[in-house]
Amino acid sequence: MSQNLVSLRFSQADIDAIDAALAILEEKLAHLIELSAADKRSLVKMGDKSEAFCRQTLIVLDQNRQILPPTFDLAEAVQDLATLDLLRLPFNRLRQLMGKADDTEMALGSDLMSAALDGYALAKVFGKGAGLETLREAMSARYSRKPKTPADVPA
């Protein structure tokens, strides 16, 4: 095999432990929400630069509660900030772990695709007399090219 970006082995006990840990995360994070794409586009977003503004504003509002109308829920805003602060570290860890998961999945797929392409090339060269015709034909379906019809050709 010409490429081997990653080589991993997991026992069933490992997979069971991972599944149990994920179940705990799902249970503990059950109150997280999922926003639609439209909702995400329409939200006012707090970036790194505006976070300091938000924090300072909450401090000023807390010191000047007399200016707030009864409908302004300062306690909820303060609670949102506290919750954000509590969840930042675990969310960052989850993002890093998901990044590694995505990269590992891509590397495993790439290793597999590379091995399959190498195997396909070998089957094309040596497969005719070795009883591999069926395998070679199945693999060739991946790369079969259909003749372009006039509808397929861009104008």
Side-chain angles (χ1 to χ4, degrees), residues 7-153:
S7 182
L8 300 171
R9 304 286 185 273
F10 289 97
S11 68
Q12 188 57 50
D14 292 334
I15 297 301
D16 292 345
I18 292 167
D19 188 51
L22 289 171
I24 291 169
L25 284 173
E26 289 168 345
E27 175 191 338
K28 297 299 179 185
L29 299 173
H31 291 94
L32 297 182
I33 65 168
E34 188 171 354
L35 298 171
S36 70
D39 288 339
K40 290 176 188 178
R41 281 190 300 272
S42 69
L43 289 177
V44 176
K45 293 153 186 89
M46 180 183 77
D48 292 339
K49 293 179 183 178
S50 55
E51 183 175 342
F53 163 77
C54 293
R55 289 178 184 280
Q56 187 62 40
T57 299
L58 291 181
I59 291 168
V60 169
L61 291 176
D62 186 48
Q63 294 170 348
N64 297 282
R65 289 178 180 259
Q66 72 280 3
I67 68 169
L68 298 177
T71 57
F72 190 92
D73 194 348
L74 180 61
E76 179 63 26
V78 169
Q79 180 59 50
D80 286 348
L81 179 62
T83 302
L84 178 65
D85 287 342
L86 282 173
L87 290 175
R88 274 250 167 90
L89 181 59
F91 283 177
N92 284 335
R93 290 177 65 193
L94 284 171
R95 273 192 225 52
Q96 288 176 339
L97 190 57
M98 272 310 304
K100 288 180 180 182
D102 289 343
D103 290 351
T104 300
E105 184 177 27
M106 183 180 291
L108 286 167
S110 181
D111 284 354
L112 185 56
M113 190 65 188
S114 180
L117 289 171
D118 290 348
Y120 175 69
L122 291 170
K124 275 177 55 175
V125 172
F126 301 111
K128 289 185 181 178
L132 297 175
E133 188 62 28
T134 303
L135 176 60
R136 191 185 67 75
E137 288 174 8
M139 292 185 335
S140 70
R142 162 84 165 84
Y143 295 102
S144 65
R145 291 190 178 170
K146 298 176 187 167
K148 289 190 177 185
T149 63
D152 293 336
V153 178

